[in-house]
């Protein structure tokens, strides 16, 4: 055994670094994080960074609200005046056509308000005062969350890692975990590219690479890998952070938008994406049809983009569960192992609180919010955490 630690974390994305950081804050003892490449080099680097507490699943709403509070006082959380999440609080508008989606928006806003989250239904005139470029004649419900915004996933994960390191954690980029050490049904450490490591508890935050964990643990994961494409556009006038983010539930792809690169608009879709078989070597070719479709949806909602220009496109991967919500906590039948996977395209906004909850669980402390709704076994029990927006990353 080359070394030992009290808690080992696998994965240095937003989730793994947040877990390591909160472990050190809660006095976990010797904490080591293993990242096979570099901190924030995985799917965190692909993220659009949107932060909102608008969810149809109340558990997500509560977790997003708690996370937003941490993003808002990020320097205080890290205890370093220089620490920044790159937070831009530009607000969030969600628009829905008549019917089920309109009802879902109304219900979600009601729930948010009951939880004390600042959110309201607004009329078209109020929405246009916030975002004068919007065409809204075809929408039936408009929700507004002024405290929402976006942050920089790379910065966040880097600061979590730095904060953890300062509090004594060992952060080990470039060290791949290759297996679990077990004593019967108990996980007692890790195999790494640099030798075996004993650990009191192992927490795996491997996102789309969680298939390897499943093989080591001999379990089947309720997770697929889905590809999601993004594009940016520009038009004559700069599209800046003075515009709230927009979620368009009336569009075929359920598009979301935000300002990017100072003057462009980023467009992503909230649909089911394209399933891929492995995180490496997948086909990342984005079709011109897809770009034209999203460009048309954008121009419909913001007619100024009818004269717009496509700038660039890229794609990223989600670790998607059948109910589009994360799996957090222990793995049935295995002691000493906790997991955080299946973030399903909305894990960045939840990362500060997921970090805290898993750190609490690893240390046997009461968790601030219940982890049971996110349990691994919910799919086998036919008790999914399904929201009223259906498949896709609104949840
Ligand atoms: C295109 C796109 C847009 C998104 N937009 C948003 C958004 O607007 N808002 C939002 O909230 N969320 C968004 N998300 C989701 C969010 O970014 C992710 O849920 C979150 O960043 C996941 O963090 P993570 O730590 O689980 O994963 P990752 O960042 O992927 O981290 C996992 C890490 O584990 C490491 N690893 C894997 N295997 C091993 C091993 N064997 N040994 C050591 N290390 C290993 C990997 O190298 C990787 O760095 C988006 C995601 C994508 C792809």
């Amino acid at each position: 055994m080359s070394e030992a630690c009290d808690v080992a974390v696998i994965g240095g994305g937003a989730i793994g670094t947040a877990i390591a950081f909160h472990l050190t804050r809660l006095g976990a003892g010797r904490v080591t994080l293993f990242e096979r490449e570099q901190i924030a080099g995985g799917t965190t680097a692909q993220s659009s960074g949107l932060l909102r507490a608008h969810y149809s699943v109340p558990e997500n709403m509560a977790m997003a609200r708690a996370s937003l509070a941490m993003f808002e006082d990020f320097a205080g959380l890290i205890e370093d005046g220089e620490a920044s999440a790159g937070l831009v609080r530009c607000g969030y508008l969600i628009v829905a056509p008549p019917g089920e989606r309109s009802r879902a928006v109304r219900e979600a806003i009601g729930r948010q308000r009951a939880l004390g989250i600042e959110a309201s239904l607004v009329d078209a005139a109020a929405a246009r005062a916030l975002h004068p470029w919007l065409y809204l004649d075809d929408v039936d419900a408009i929700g507004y969350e002024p405290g929402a915004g976006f942050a920089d996933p790379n910065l966040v994960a880097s600061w979590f890692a730095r904060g953890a390191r300062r509090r004594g954690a060992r952060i080990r980029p470039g060290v791949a975990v290759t297996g679990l050490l077990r004593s019967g049904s108990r996980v007692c450490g890790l195999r790494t590219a640099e030798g075996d490591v004993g650990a009191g508890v192992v927490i795996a935050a491997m996102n789309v690479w969680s298939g390897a964990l499943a093989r080591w643990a001999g379990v089947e994961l309720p997770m697929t890998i889905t590809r999601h494409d993004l594009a940016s556009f520009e038009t004559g006038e700069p599209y800046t952070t003075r515009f709230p983010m927009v979620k368009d539930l009336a569009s075929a792809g359920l598009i979301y938008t935000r300002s990017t690169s100072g003057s462009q608009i980023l467009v992503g879709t909230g649909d089911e994406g394209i399933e891929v078989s492995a995180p490496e070597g997948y086909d990342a070719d984005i079709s011109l049809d897809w770009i034209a479709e999203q460009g048309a949806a954008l121009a419909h909602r913001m007619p100024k983009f009818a004269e717009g220009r496509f700038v660039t496109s890229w794609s990223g991967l989600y670790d998607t569960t059948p109910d589009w919500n994360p799996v957090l906590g222990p793995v049935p039948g295995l002691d000493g192992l906790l997991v955080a996977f299946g973030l399903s395209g909305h894990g960045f906004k939840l990362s500060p609180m997921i970090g805290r909850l898993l750190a609490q669980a690893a240390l046997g402390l009461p968790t601030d919010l219940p982890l049971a709704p996110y349990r691994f076994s919910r799919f086998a029990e036919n008790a999914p955490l399904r929201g009223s927006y259906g498949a896709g990353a609104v949840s």
Side-chain angles (χ1 to χ4, degrees):
M1 194 84 57
S2 70
E3 59 184 312
C5 58
D6 295 296
V7 190
V9 180
I10 315 173
I15 302 291
T17 56
I19 293 169
F21 172 73
H22 283 288
L23 281 166
T24 60
R25 259 186 114 212
L26 293 170
R30 295 161 302 167
V31 174
T32 307
L33 181 149
F34 297 93
E35 164 53 55
R36 59 181 195 137
E37 293 192 341
Q38 65 207 32
I39 296 300
T43 67
T44 294
Q46 305 164 342
S47 183
S48 307
L50 270 65
L51 312 177
R52 52 161 165 94
H54 187 104
Y55 273 106
S56 63
V57 174
E59 288 85 351
N60 289 345
M61 218 179 252
M63 202 189 293
R65 178 179 64 166
S67 289
L68 259 175
M70 290 196 240
F71 280 118
E72 278 161 11
D73 183 23
F74 199 68
L77 176 70
I78 305 290
E79 292 179 0
D80 185 322
E82 305 228 314
S84 166
L87 176 65
V88 176
R89 294 180 79 194
C90 54
Y92 177 78
L93 285 166
I94 180 163
V95 305
E100 217 172 287
R101 289 181 184 155
S102 167
R103 280 193 292 282
V105 167
R106 290 169 196 278
E107 198 181 284
I109 296 285
R111 282 219 172 105
Q112 282 190 289
R113 292 173 72 88
L115 274 179
I117 298 167
E118 198 185 344
S120 54
L121 289 165
V122 296
D123 61 18
R128 262 192 297 268
L130 293 161
H131 193 315
W133 291 18
L134 289 179
Y135 167 80
L136 295 167
D137 288 1
D138 59 344
V139 308
D140 185 59
I142 308 171
Y144 178 51
E145 185 184 320
F150 58 88
D152 184 326
N154 211 322
L155 258 185
V156 167
S158 305
W159 272 109
F160 274 141
R162 193 172 300 154
R165 194 184 297 114
R166 281 191 191 151
R167 288 168 178 271
R170 292 192 70 196
I171 305 293
R172 308 206 48 196
V175 182
V177 174
T178 55
L180 296 175
L181 300 178
R182 282 172 65 165
S183 166
S185 66
R186 181 158 194 94
V187 172
C188 55
L190 301 172
R191 290 197 183 289
T192 81
E194 296 189 355
D196 291 353
V197 181
V201 182
V202 172
I203 311 180
M206 295 160 64
N207 203 282
V208 291
W209 294 273
S210 298
L213 176 82
R215 285 192 295 281
W216 305 333
V219 294
E220 243 181 71
L221 288 194
M223 184 194 105
T224 55
I225 304 175
T226 55
R227 182 190 119 182
H228 299 264
D229 301 338
L230 296 161
S232 60
F233 298 84
E234 63 187 4
T235 188
E237 254 179 83
Y239 192 84
T240 67
T241 55
R242 80 187 162 97
F243 296 108
M245 306 178 298
V246 177
K247 175 75 184 179
D248 185 354
L249 297 175
S251 62
L254 308 174
I255 62 169
Y256 65 85
T257 66
R258 53 156 271 206
S259 160
T260 188
S261 307
S263 61
Q264 298 161 8
I265 192 166
L266 180 153
V267 180
T269 50
D271 53 18
E272 292 180 68
I274 302 163
E275 192 169 331
V276 303
S277 56
E280 260 78 39
Y282 67 94
D283 175 9
D285 196 23
I286 298 176
S287 79
L288 288 176
D289 285 352
W290 183 88
I291 293 165
E293 221 176 282
Q294 308 326 318
L298 173 65
H300 173 77
R301 190 58 60 215
M302 300 179 207
K304 282 207 184 206
F305 281 99
E307 304 300 318
R309 193 179 75 82
F310 162 67
V311 181
T312 187
S313 63
W314 63 102
S315 71
L317 297 177
Y318 294 179
D319 51 341
T320 303
T321 63
D323 64 8
W324 284 79
N325 283 305
V327 172
L328 307 173
V331 176
L334 277 179
D335 297 325
L337 176 67
L338 296 172
V339 290
F341 69 86
L343 288 311
S344 306
H346 54 105
F348 175 60
K349 65 179 68 58
L350 305 176
S351 58
M353 198 55 185
I354 289 180
R356 181 164 166 83
L357 295 172
L358 282 193
Q360 289 172 325
L363 300 177
L365 300 169
T367 53
D368 292 352
L369 296 170
L371 277 178
Y374 298 94
R375 67 191 177 282
F376 192 104
S377 59
R378 69 181 188 271
F379 303 105
E381 294 162 7
N382 202 18
L385 198 52
R386 222 181 280 288
S388 38
Y389 290 119
V394 188
S395 266

